[in-house]
Amino acid sequence: QVQVVESGGTLVQPGGSLRLSCTAFGSIVSIDTMQWYRQAPGKEREFVADTSSNYADSVKGRFTVSRDNFKNTAYLHMNNLGPKDTALYYCKAINVYSDRPERRHADYWGRGTQVTVSS
């Protein structure tokens, strides 16, 4: 069974920086891509960035994504945060190939980590 877990969300002041982590746990052989999404209160979930260096226009130049394949972990480095970045941040692991308890290709979502930008 594969689980995706996000961490690192917290309260941060405007202009501050934060690093989120997303780790996939389980008997994983490979992961194609790891994506970051966010959902603000009353709004739909939106794409933020992924490990293929795709970024939403709203975060270009402020957010960067890095990846540690050995740890099955992706990081979202966020700089110059503003109130509009307040949201629940989710991670999605795309085309995860796992081999126990059975060989399987699937996508997995995490439960999210809360980022609040406020003074």
Side-chain angles (χ1 to χ4, degrees):
Q1 187 75 14
V2 174
Q3 289 188 326
V4 173
V5 179
E6 305 94 335
S7 63
T10 188
L11 173 65
V12 61
Q13 291 189 343
S17 298
L18 202 59
R19 188 186 78 167
L20 305 183
S21 300
C22 167
T23 300
F25 296 94
S27 183
I28 296 170
V29 177
S30 63
I31 303 174
D32 275 2
T33 308
M34 299 179 84
Q35 299 177 329
W36 287 97
Y37 292 77
R38 67 185 181 185
Q39 187 167 18
K43 294 188 176 182
E44 294 185 354
R45 190 175 300 189
E46 63 176 0
F47 172 80
V48 175
D50 66 23
T51 53
S52 297
S53 300
N54 296 302
Y55 295 91
D57 288 342
S58 59
V59 306
K60 282 181 181 177
R62 300 188 300 124
F63 291 11
T64 57
V65 176
S66 62
R67 180 173 178 176
D68 185 333
N69 290 326
F70 183 75
K71 296 180 178 179
N72 291 323
T73 297
Y75 303 96
L76 182 65
H77 307 265
M78 305 185 293
N79 297 312
N80 194 22
L81 287 162
K84 290 184 178 181
D85 296 313
T86 294
L88 187 60
Y89 283 72
Y90 295 91
C91 178
K92 183 179 182 182
I94 303 295
N95 194 25
V96 178
Y97 177 34
S98 56
D99 61 357
R100 284 197 297 269
E102 61 186 8
R103 293 181 181 180
R104 183 181 184 189
H105 288 268
D107 299 344
Y108 297 91
W109 284 95
R111 294 187 176 185
T113 185
Q114 178 67 41
V115 173
T116 303
V117 184
S118 175
S119 55

